[in-house]
Amino acid sequence: MLFAILAAGLWLAGGASRPDVLAQPLMQGICWLLLITLILAGRPLRLGEARPLLYLLGAMLVLALLQAVPLPPSLWLALPGRALFAEAAAASGQAQPWRPWAIVPSGAINAALSLIVPITVLLLLAAMKDAERRWLPATLLALITASMLIGLLQFSGASFNNPLVNDTPGQVSGSFANRNHFALFMAIGCLVAPAWAYAGGRRPEWRGPTALGLVLLFALTILASGSRAGILLGILALGFAALITGRSIRRSMSHAPRWVFPALIVAIVTVLALFVVLSISADRAVSINRALTMDAAQDMRRRGLPTVLSMIRTYFPIGSGLGGFDPLFRIHEPFALLKPTYFNHAHNDFLEIVLEAGLPGALLLLAAIGWWAWASVNAWRAGSRTDMLPRLGSAIILLVLAASAVDYPARTPMIMAVLVIAATWLHSGAGADAGVGESRSLRSALPRKSQHL
């Protein structure tokens, strides 16, 4: 019940990343209330099953809090990139005050506060029983479908804008402020829908056609969103969806002739291609239109990259501080990049993490990606026919990593929550299953009398 409340809050206010929008305090307030309720409920937490996630989230929180601790002037001035601020203080005749590690302290504090969302999701998952966790794929699919419906409403021309989120009027972004983040969410839906239909080794029955229809709608919504990166993410998601559920689909059709399965795959691809062609013909495939007409020379991602790399060299290995990219980029921004709009992020979260968190952030990022790679190898090697959730978690994280190379989706509460759910699924197939198998073999080796006692 608490997780359902959290899911509703994420759908309403989980699609923004800016710290000054109303959605942020609302989402954080919901999480604090849910945590207090969880503590008062007294349900035991299975934290041992989520130990790597606890370590990663704990390290992120400690790093963000350390960046908000004031340092003496002599130590702060010795940090890389602080000379400019020392000169400004000397020119004004003011004494150097104690300053936090982060040049923009409010950004580091906001980064620490934002982690309440993934922490809440992790603790709620740890409190769930196995029967409750089986509802997670359906809950996530319902969230994605609800966001898609808002996007389709926007695409139809209806004036629907979320007052809690800093979305752009007339843009197809669903429950998100950014259409690229929305397209990523739809691509995740292309993964979740088939897994929901075939999870647990069940016969799909009505779920199979429903999942196929949802995947088709998710793919068309990506085209309507105008996200160029979303096209690649959607193709990647469809490929992984086939890898995850292909064996289950083939097994469910074991009594049919051999030619039925290849014919079904060809039919699905043909239907998808047909609808894509119809969308292009009707001039409704905004993503493809933007990909064909966008001038790469005017893309701020490419134009701003040399400045971002220069900033990394200036502040490395300590970093400039979490959440301070916007004001710091304005300091380093060359005149050639000036325009009416502002460059709010590096649009490459890997580079922005290194810029803001320096070497500690880079090491933490490498540790997280290393754990994902190790757990993914174990999950795909296992190749369970019934439990496809570990591979689904691996693929979802891969989509977020790919999207983070050109954007910043993991800074939104919704994608934070999805990452924790995906990481929990991945961990269940990477490490937890081995422990369960070991304990079962140990119980089988004990005498029956000992087992009874």
Side-chain angles (χ1 to χ4, degrees), residues 282-328:
D283 198 22
R284 308 298 277 177
V286 183
S287 297
I288 295 178
N289 293 340
R290 291 187 71 244
L292 295 176
T293 59
M294 184 67 180
D295 185 2
Q298 298 300 319
D299 190 355
M300 274 299 296
R301 290 179 177 87
R302 178 174 298 184
R303 296 178 62 202
L305 181 59
T307 305
V308 172
L309 295 176
S310 174
M311 293 171 64
I312 291 176
R313 290 191 293 268
T314 300
Y315 296 104
F316 197 81
I318 298 300
S320 61
L322 295 168
F325 179 86
D326 173 26
L328 288 175

Side-chain angles (χ1 to χ4, degrees), residues 18-32:
R18 273 179 48 173
D20 57 346
V21 296
L22 185 58
Q24 301 295 1
L26 176 62
M27 199 65 247
Q28 293 170 16
I30 291 174
C31 289
W32 280 111

Side-chain angles (χ1 to χ4, degrees), residues 38 64 66-67 80 97 101 105 113 132 147 171 258 264 288 298 329 384 407 413 441 452:
L38 179 63
L66 285 177
Q67 289 196 351
W101 170 357
L113 292 176
E132 294 170 329
S147 182
Q171 189 176 97
R258 290 186 176 182
L264 177 63
I288 295 178
Q298 298 300 319
F329 185 82
S384 174
D407 226 298
S441 62
H452 178 70

Side-chain angles (χ1 to χ4, degrees), residues 135-265:
W135 286 91
L136 286 175
T139 303
L140 181 56
L141 184 60
L143 271 177
I144 298 171
T145 304
S147 182
M148 177 198 67
L149 293 177
I150 297 179
L152 293 179
L153 186 63
Q154 294 169 334
F155 185 64
S156 68
S159 178
F160 182 88
N161 296 297
N162 191 341
L164 302 175
V165 176
N166 56 307
D167 54 352
T168 302
Q171 189 176 97
V172 179
S173 57
S175 56
F176 288 83
N178 186 309
R179 59 184 165 196
N180 292 322
H181 304 168
F182 173 62
L184 168 64
F185 205 43
M186 294 300 100
I188 293 174
C190 293
L191 282 172
V192 175
W196 163 76
Y198 288 92
R202 66 166 67 94
R203 296 187 64 85
E205 299 177 349
W206 60 271
R207 291 176 181 243
T210 303
L212 178 59
L214 287 175
V215 168
L216 179 60
L217 284 174
F218 294 150
L220 294 177
T221 306
I222 291 175
L223 294 179
S225 68
S227 171
R228 293 165 294 166
I231 300 175
L232 299 178
L233 294 174
I235 295 174
L236 188 62
L238 291 174
F240 272 100
L243 290 175
I244 292 172
T245 59
R247 184 181 298 179
S248 297
I249 296 174
R250 187 186 294 273
R251 189 173 65 253
S252 67
M253 303 177 64
S254 58
H255 300 293
R258 290 186 176 182
W259 60 267
V260 173
F261 179 74
L264 177 63
I265 299 299

Side-chain angles (χ1 to χ4, degrees), residues 365-405:
L365 178 63
L366 288 175
I369 295 177
W371 172 81
W372 164 78
W374 170 82
S376 296
V377 169
N378 290 338
W380 286 94
R381 276 183 176 177
S384 174
R385 294 185 176 183
T386 58
D387 189 8
M388 58 184 66
L389 292 183
R391 287 172 288 162
L392 175 61
S394 170
I396 290 176
I397 296 175
L398 176 61
L399 286 184
V400 177
L401 289 174
S404 297

Side-chain angles (χ1 to χ4, degrees), residues 5 99 102 105 109 122 131 197 203 234 259 282 291 319 321 335 340 381-382 421 427:
I5 296 173
R99 299 174 184 264
I109 294 173
L122 182 59
R203 296 187 64 85
W259 60 267
F335 285 108
R381 276 183 176 177
I421 295 172
H427 180 61

